[in-house]
Amino acid sequence: MTTPAARLAARLAPLLPPRAIVTDPDVIAQSLTDWRRRYRGASSLLFAPASVAEVRAIVDAARAEGVPLVPQGGNSSMVGGATPSADGRAAILSLRRMNRLRHLDAEAGLAIVEAGMILSDLHAAALAAGRRFPLSLGAKGVATIGGLVSTNAGGTQVLRFGTMRALVAGVEAVLPDGSHYDGLSALKKDNRGYDIDQLLIGAEGTLGIVTAATLRLVPAVAARCVAWVGLASPDAALALLRRFQRATPALESFELLPAESLAAVLAHIPATRAPLAGTYPWHVLLEVTADTPADDPAGPVERVLAMALEDDLIDDATIAASEAQAEAFWRIRESISDAERATGPAAQHDISVPVEAMPRFMVEAAAACDARFPGTCASGFGHLGDGNVHFHVRAAPGTDPAHWYAEQVPVVSAFVHDLVVAAGGSISAEHGIGQMKRAELERLGPPGRLAALRAVKRAFDPHELFNPGKLVTLAPAAPIQ
Amino acid sequence: MTTPAARLAARLAPLLPPRAIVTDPDVIAQSLTDWRRRYRGASSLLFAPASVAEVRAIVDAARAEGVPLVPQGGNSSMVGGATPSADGRAAILSLRRMNRLRHLDAEAGLAIVEAGMILSDLHAAALAAGRRFPLSLGAKGVATIGGLVSTNAGGTQVLRFGTMRALVAGVEAVLPDGSHYDGLSALKKDNRGYDIDQLLIGAEGTLGIVTAATLRLVPAVAARCVAWVGLASPDAALALLRRFQRATPALESFELLPAESLAAVLAHIPATRAPLAGTYPWHVLLEVTADTPADDPAGPVERVLAMALEDDLIDDATIAASEAQAEAFWRIRESISDAERATGPAAQHDISVPVEAMPRFMVEAAAACDARFPGTCASGFGHLGDGNVHFHVRAAPGTDPAHWYAEQVPVVSAFVHDLVVAAGGSISAEHGIGQMKRAELERLGPPGRLAALRAVKRAFDPHELFNPGKLVTLAPAAPIQ
């Protein structure tokens, strides 16, 4: 009973029900590593509160005992954002038991959802009410609303309705001083000063513990049209994107894949087949939806593709003839990460540049990487419409994975990030900073942004009690000047 | 040469061109009162920089001399947000000379615009490129982009594309420490920590001097359909709004007017006539637009109105038969403020509640005001679709205006604001806080929000050099506990 964590548990024991305080190491173990097993932390204490009042009690007691708190939802962070540090100082604050749908108003298109609700459960609840929550991603069966808010998550469907930032109408959170911030009223206009809700979105749990959010719902999908296109270059893909955007406001996805991504999927993922008969250096997967049965999503797709073929902008195209075929097209896109893992180790980068600059960046950055790191093979794939691709550099065949990750990846990633900064881009488009990219963010700044981030962190959490070591620290790792 | 302002002018004289430093009292006088002449300030010094470098020089020198800066654009604030205090301590920083369109990319739908550009000039520039900047408001001929960003401005067209917050892709600003924050790259996805751009939007110049913004452009209007509806109640109007929102994504405006607002316009504004033959207690003005010539905006309007008439949801409706008639309908809406001014003094409140709660609020709050202040007459009009109305309480006939504004308005406004807070609403929907509502914001909190606002202000501007006395001050006017 002498560690701060033990004192914290003892202090809270009279205030919380027994199941809200977990000290069983076997149970806690599941929360000590990220899902890709890149980061391992230590902790002897996990809280699983079921209400805002319990969260506040935990925050107040943790502040009194000086024990940092690491909030955790579905633990599906791509950047080690929910894994505690190895020193074992922190307690984990799991929001998984706060998983209620507090309210859903189909007419107003709003749902008030607790932080621990899993994304696919929200999808189901919205659909049952004749609505849709339009954000989706691979981890939808485990990712929680609190985590999605805290990372400003994106995904494959953000082209039309935006990232979480555009879909969150209000946030409820417990701040480091124990106060309860309630932004759930979902006012469409509210100009009472700085937008604290927007500040909490994407803050990775470093400014407040998000306990609930008011989310916007959109009309359910009445029909969709999914097409696969073969073309010569990212430039042609961008020109095609602009034609679609002029033709319809209902373009939901526009994903670009190089030939090698498709080849990797066909080679390693069972029961996949190429959508087109010919071979092409680049491919586009796109989706247009209809909100009402009266709308025909295929009409604009057919028109734009026919004209693009006539103009030789694209080489071939096919429209999914059934929902099963549409799902088969999407399965290719969603299997790229698994397929690439089967081809060997890679350095992965979630990056963005201005949409107009992306075609040139993809081509030039891949060539620069291949030249700088002989034997490796670089390519980008993903959300061209958002100016966001996942830029992967695959190790030379036969490379030892341990040596690759420990020695080469940091060098490769620094090289890629320098190219991104030179192109006016971001080293984190949608995955966040977490612990994985903190040093790179400090290295690449810019200093004005870093100073602003630190000023905000200091204002809300001067003792770094909330998710320490993630996103930004008050003291720079190395002096910046 | 002994005042801080004189020392500041002397310090900057070698660094700035002569026209950037204005000390002529006649010129400065125009900037010392707001356009409604409710607030009067004092200042002996006005800066008119032409570049970011000049703004940075001014900020650095002002910090060194301890002279506060009051940023000013078109000086069309509704809450005294750009008027200096009466003590004469502050210098005015006019952004009007920084009015260049730095870049416009019609294809990408983005424009980089300096803070001093006037809104109607941006409208014209976008239109010339085949695009549209969709935000508009009465003061469009004087309001500047910097002011619109800094107040998160709204207007009559936010239903489809949102307020400035949704239309700003990035902000450039000079922070109180003199650093240059550059968020102009307009990345569609960027998760490098807290969203500093969103923090600067709506900050009323209290955290940074906005020098430019990247703004989103949308397709130009190919056609519009404007309709006028007579109906029995705000409840019926809300039901009609929901029917329109289900029928079309292109509903741009949905404005609700009580019979007395229409009557005031017809009585006081020349060359206006009632759109409908009958008399109705409530009226709706709505607009649906089409982005492409192939779309027919009248189709959904005719269908929804026909069904609503059949269902007795509405009493009568007419669709403008020409662009001239559409403009005549809009002229009625835009003349309400002028017409009400002609009917006598009023206490005006720019408030919001959740959209679903607005019909009940409008009816019950008006009844409560009429009962509490005998002889006055209260009613709301405006943006029902945004949950935002301008709730005006007109003085009893024969009331002395001076007495009304000095003695009665504060009591009436506190009463109205209490009703708004009880309904879960905001005492400032779109006009901001400025100096006009600061005391009310402090009175009504909530304390958690006030504490967060102060923490952010302290983090960026600990010496209150930027627009002091507006929005929030570091020391509460009265202790809060």
Side-chain angles (χ1 to χ4, degrees):
Chain A
M1 293 297 279
T2 53
T3 68
R7 283 197 298 274
L8 175 57
R11 180 191 276 255
L12 282 165
L15 303 176
L16 299 178
R19 65 181 296 195
I21 306 178
V22 177
T23 53
D24 179 342
D26 291 341
V27 176
I28 295 174
Q30 303 162 26
S31 294
L32 298 181
T33 184
D34 67 311
W35 68 281
R36 295 193 298 186
R37 311 207 171 272
R38 297 267 179 84
Y39 300 95
R40 287 187 184 277
S43 180
S44 58
L45 185 60
L46 181 147
F47 295 110
S51 69
V52 172
E54 291 181 9
V55 174
R56 295 185 74 178
I58 293 164
V59 168
D60 285 338
R63 195 175 59 254
E65 298 290 353
V67 174
L69 295 171
V70 176
Q72 200 173 86
N75 197 15
S76 55
S77 170
M78 301 288 282
V79 291
T83 308
S85 60
D87 61 19
R89 276 207 318 132
I92 294 165
L93 177 52
S94 168
L95 279 301
R96 289 293 294 279
R97 285 182 65 218
M98 288 188 67
N99 62 355
R100 288 185 310 136
L101 176 67
R102 288 193 198 158
H103 182 70
L104 191 153
D105 184 336
E107 196 74 61
L110 293 170
I112 302 180
V113 182
E114 287 187 343
M117 181 176 245
I118 288 170
L119 178 55
S120 55
D121 291 342
L122 173 63
H123 287 158
L127 207 61
R131 287 278 173 163
R132 172 167 66 126
F133 183 67
L135 186 130
S136 192
L137 37 70
K140 65 188 173 190
V142 295
T144 60
I145 297 306
L148 294 161
V149 169
S150 293
T151 55
N152 182 29
T156 52
Q157 312 282 125
V158 312
L159 205 47
R160 184 170 173 200
F161 296 108
T163 64
M164 283 301 282
R165 205 172 278 295
L167 295 169
V168 174
V171 173
E172 175 191 79
V174 177
L175 304 184
D177 67 0
S179 65
H180 176 221
Y181 176 78
D182 180 359
L184 295 180
S185 72
L187 298 172
K188 292 190 76 171
K189 287 185 180 169
D190 183 7
N191 274 351
R192 285 177 293 169
Y194 322 133
D195 196 326
I196 305 299
D197 300 84
Q198 287 290 337
L199 203 53
L200 292 166
I201 298 168
E204 303 187 11
T206 64
L207 300 181
I209 309 289
V210 173
T211 49
T214 302
L215 302 174
R216 299 187 213 284
L217 306 179
V218 303
V221 175
R224 67 170 176 169
C225 178
V226 175
W228 191 281
V229 181
L231 31 60
S233 68
D235 264 326
L238 179 60
L240 184 68
L241 169 70
R242 295 309 184 202
R243 287 187 182 199
F244 269 101
Q245 288 180 319
R246 281 195 296 268
T248 171
L251 181 69
E252 298 226 352
S253 302
F254 197 93
E255 299 283 308
L256 179 65
L257 298 67
E260 55 261 45
S261 291
L262 175 61
V265 170
L266 299 179
H268 294 283
I269 308 294
T272 51
R273 46 176 292 190
L276 299 171
T279 56
Y280 307 99
W282 292 89
H283 299 258
V284 163
L285 170 66
L286 65 92
E287 177 172 320
V288 173
T289 57
D291 296 345
T292 68
D295 294 338
D296 170 28
V301 176
E302 286 165 6
R303 279 195 301 276
V304 172
L305 290 180
M307 188 70 79
L309 279 166
E310 204 175 299
D311 296 346
D312 286 330
L313 179 63
I314 63 176
D315 297 323
D316 196 7
T318 182
I319 292 177
S322 64
E323 187 55 27
Q325 204 175 10
E327 282 180 20
F329 288 2
W330 269 111
R331 187 151 173 261
I332 294 172
R333 164 65 185 87
E334 286 162 357
S335 302
I336 294 176
S337 291
D338 285 347
E340 294 204 339
R341 211 165 292 133
T343 66
Q348 306 184 342
H349 311 92
D350 159 52
I351 58 98
S352 65
V353 301
V355 179
E356 306 302 305
M358 184 53 88
R360 186 171 165 180
F361 177 84
M362 290 176 78
V363 172
E364 293 185 354
C369 278
D370 293 352
R372 171 74 180 74
F373 305 106
T376 66
C377 177
S379 65
F381 70 93
H383 325 301
L384 179 67
D386 306 320
N388 167 208
V389 296
H390 301 297
F391 190 85
H392 292 186
V393 182
R394 287 176 295 286
T399 302
D400 169 52
H403 179 259
W404 169 256
Y405 285 114
E407 304 295 325
Q408 292 184 264
V409 166
V411 182
V412 171
S413 292
F415 182 78
V416 171
H417 290 159
D418 287 345
L419 296 174
V420 169
V421 169
S426 168
I427 62 165
S428 178
E430 57 179 11
H431 294 166
I433 298 298
Q435 49 185 300
M436 181 178 172
K437 295 188 175 176
R438 213 193 73 215
E440 281 293 87
L441 180 65
E442 278 185 14
R443 181 172 75 86
L444 296 167
R449 178 189 282 260
L450 283 170
L453 296 184
R454 287 211 174 86
V456 172
K457 173 71 175 175
R458 189 176 291 110
F460 280 79
D461 187 21
H463 306 299
E464 305 195 84
L465 285 176
F466 278 18
N467 215 7
K470 316 298 164 36
L471 210 172
V472 71
T473 51
L474 293 182
I480 293 172
Q481 198 51 262
Chain B
M1 292 297 279
T2 55
T3 68
R7 284 197 298 272
L8 174 59
R11 178 191 279 256
L12 281 165
L15 303 175
L16 299 177
R19 64 182 296 200
I21 305 178
V22 178
T23 54
D24 179 343
D26 291 341
V27 176
I28 296 174
Q30 303 160 25
S31 295
L32 298 180
T33 182
D34 66 311
W35 68 282
R36 293 192 299 186
R37 311 205 172 275
R38 298 267 179 83
Y39 301 94
R40 285 185 186 280
S43 180
S44 58
L45 185 59
L46 181 147
F47 295 109
S51 69
V52 172
E54 290 180 11
V55 174
R56 294 185 74 179
I58 294 164
V59 168
D60 285 338
R63 194 176 59 252
E65 297 290 353
V67 174
L69 295 171
V70 176
Q72 200 172 87
N75 199 14
S76 54
S77 171
M78 301 289 282
V79 291
T83 309
S85 60
D87 60 20
R89 276 206 319 132
I92 294 165
L93 177 52
S94 169
L95 281 299
R96 289 293 294 279
R97 285 182 65 220
M98 288 188 67
N99 61 356
R100 288 185 311 137
L101 176 67
R102 287 192 199 160
H103 182 71
L104 192 153
D105 184 336
E107 197 73 63
L110 293 171
I112 302 180
V113 182
E114 288 188 343
M117 180 175 247
I118 287 169
L119 178 58
S120 55
D121 292 341
L122 173 63
H123 287 160
L127 207 61
R131 287 279 174 163
R132 171 167 66 126
F133 183 67
L135 187 131
S136 191
L137 37 70
K140 63 187 174 192
V142 294
T144 61
I145 298 304
L148 295 162
V149 170
S150 294
T151 56
N152 181 28
T156 51
Q157 311 283 124
V158 313
L159 205 47
R160 184 171 173 200
F161 296 107
T163 65
M164 284 301 279
R165 204 173 278 292
L167 295 168
V168 174
V171 173
E172 177 191 77
V174 177
L175 304 184
D177 66 1
S179 65
H180 175 220
Y181 176 79
D182 180 0
L184 294 180
S185 72
L187 297 173
K188 292 190 76 171
K189 286 185 179 170
D190 183 5
N191 275 351
R192 285 176 294 168
Y194 322 133
D195 196 327
I196 305 300
D197 300 82
Q198 287 290 336
L199 203 52
L200 292 165
I201 299 168
E204 302 185 12
T206 63
L207 301 181
I209 309 289
V210 173
T211 50
T214 303
L215 302 175
R216 299 186 212 284
L217 306 179
V218 302
V221 175
R224 68 170 176 170
C225 178
V226 175
W228 192 280
V229 181
L231 32 61
S233 67
D235 264 327
L238 179 60
L240 184 67
L241 169 71
R242 295 309 184 200
R243 289 188 181 199
F244 268 100
Q245 288 179 320
R246 280 195 296 268
T248 172
L251 180 70
E252 297 225 355
S253 303
F254 197 94
E255 299 283 308
L256 179 64
L257 297 70
E260 54 261 44
S261 291
L262 176 61
V265 170
L266 299 178
H268 295 283
I269 308 295
T272 51
R273 46 175 294 195
L276 298 170
T279 56
Y280 306 99
W282 293 89
H283 300 258
V284 164
L285 170 66
L286 65 94
E287 178 171 317
V288 173
T289 58
D291 296 344
T292 69
D295 294 337
D296 169 29
V301 177
E302 287 165 4
R303 278 195 301 277
V304 172
L305 291 179
M307 187 70 78
L309 280 165
E310 203 176 299
D311 296 346
D312 288 330
L313 179 62
I314 63 176
D315 296 326
D316 197 6
T318 182
I319 292 177
S322 64
E323 188 54 27
Q325 202 174 13
E327 282 181 18
F329 289 3
W330 268 112
R331 185 149 176 262
I332 294 172
R333 164 64 184 88
E334 286 162 357
S335 303
I336 294 176
S337 292
D338 285 347
E340 293 205 340
R341 212 165 290 132
T343 66
Q348 304 182 343
H349 311 92
D350 158 50
I351 57 99
S352 65
V353 299
V355 180
E356 306 303 306
M358 185 53 92
R360 185 171 167 181
F361 177 84
M362 290 177 77
V363 171
E364 293 185 356
C369 278
D370 293 352
R372 170 73 179 72
F373 304 106
T376 66
C377 178
S379 64
F381 70 93
H383 325 302
L384 179 65
D386 306 321
N388 168 208
V389 297
H390 301 296
F391 190 85
H392 293 186
V393 181
R394 288 176 294 285
T399 303
D400 169 51
H403 179 259
W404 169 256
Y405 285 114
E407 304 294 327
Q408 291 183 264
V409 165
V411 181
V412 170
S413 292
F415 182 78
V416 170
H417 290 159
D418 287 345
L419 296 174
V420 169
V421 169
S426 168
I427 64 166
S428 177
E430 58 180 8
H431 294 166
I433 298 297
Q435 51 185 299
M436 181 178 173
K437 293 187 177 177
R438 213 191 73 215
E440 281 294 83
L441 180 63
E442 278 185 14
R443 181 173 74 87
L444 296 165
R449 176 187 282 261
L450 283 169
L453 296 183
R454 286 210 175 88
V456 172
K457 173 71 173 175
R458 187 175 293 113
F460 280 78
D461 186 20
H463 306 297
E464 302 192 83
L465 285 175
F466 277 18
N467 215 5
K470 316 296 164 40
L471 209 176
V472 71
T473 51
L474 292 182
I480 293 172
Q481 200 49 261

